[in-house]
Amino acid sequence: MDYLSRPLVLLLLCGLLVSSLWLVPHVRAEVLINEVLGDPDQDWDGDGEVNYKSDEWIEVKNDGDSVEDLSEYWVRDGSGEDPHLQLSGALEPGETAVFYGSDAMIWQQEQGQSTLGFSINNSGETLELLRTESDFSGTALIVVHQVILLDHEVENDRSSGWDPDTGQWIMFDALNPYNGAFEPQGNNCLPSPGELNICTPLVPVFGLTWDQLKSRYR
Ligand SMILES: [Ca+2]
Ligand SMILES: [Ca+2]
Ligand SMILES: [Ca+2]
Ligand SMILES: [Ca+2]
């Protein structure tokens, strides 16, 4: 190749690159943190024990209009750089998935890390959802969604999440009603791990034990 044709080839390659980028649809993360319970007081993961680490849970939702591969997503708390869990599975549009502290502990063990679970601080926490992004310089984890939990949200069996009707961040406090003045306020609805955040009130049913009642709302 002579000196004259080399810049021409470069120009052509650049043109091809720009036009191919132009044709690629804009990609943005559609998965979000939908609901969180950070101070468990019951056996949420169903392993027969109540544990402050393994029964914490984080629910994610696919808010987009195409199937999302969850293995591209990771969660971590606000205190460090390292993710606590690489998610797994796939989500159809509108679907939710829940991951328990026990899932995080298994993953951490597989990675040779300390089994800290999600480490959701009961006095308040920032949780981040990250996504694997690749470009010419390599692969990085980019924060795509963040939620902030205040002290009163992280109390025995209270969860916080997005209200599908109002779009507001709200507290699902039917199991531990909140009467204080801080936002978010409670809505007297039950936490809904793995389900859409549709309000189910706690209705006492005569003749059922407390455990039977709770299991109705899993
Ligand atoms: Ca448990
Ligand atoms: Ca906690
Ligand atoms: Ca608290
Ligand atoms: Ca939910």
Side-chain angles (χ1 to χ4, degrees), residues 43 45 47 49 55:
D43 179 19
D45 73 348
D47 72 346
E49 290 177 15
D55 285 311

Side-chain angles (χ1 to χ4, degrees), residues 161-176:
W162 298 105
D163 182 324
D165 296 328
T166 65
Q168 300 294 308
W169 186 255
I170 191 88
M171 201 160 57
F172 297 82
D173 66 339
L175 298 175
N176 181 10

Side-chain angles (χ1 to χ4, degrees), residues 43 65 106 124 133 176 190:
D43 179 19
D65 51 16
I106 290 168
E133 299 283 350
N176 181 10
L190 287 163

Side-chain angles (χ1 to χ4, degrees), residues 37-41 50-56 101 116 119-120 122:
L37 188 142
D39 186 3
D41 194 38
V50 179
N51 183 276
Y52 74 99
K53 279 198 292 188
S54 54
D55 285 311
E56 291 184 343
L116 301 172
S119 303
I120 303 173
N122 291 358

Side-chain angles (χ1 to χ4, degrees), residues 61-78:
K61 182 183 176 195
N62 181 357
D63 224 22
D65 51 16
S66 56
V67 178
E68 288 283 327
D69 176 4
L70 288 184
S71 68
E72 294 178 358
Y73 290 87
W74 314 66
V75 288
R76 73 176 176 201
D77 70 74

Side-chain angles (χ1 to χ4, degrees), residues 84-146:
H84 291 315
L85 175 66
Q86 178 181 15
L87 307 188
S88 56
L91 272 188
E92 296 284 338
E95 272 190 349
T96 59
V98 64
F99 295 90
Y100 294 95
S102 43
D103 297 318
M105 290 162 75
I106 290 168
W107 182 81
Q108 287 157 351
Q109 199 163 29
E110 287 167 357
Q111 310 302 310
Q113 300 174 2
S114 309
T115 50
L116 301 172
F118 289 127
S119 303
I120 303 173
N121 194 322
N122 291 358
S123 60
E125 187 63 274
T126 300
L127 289 174
E128 292 178 335
L129 182 71
L130 303 104
R131 180 177 163 145
T132 311
E133 299 283 350
S134 300
D135 64 14
F136 302 111
S137 58
T139 301
L141 297 182
I142 308 293
V143 176
V144 291
H145 192 219
Q146 186 188 67

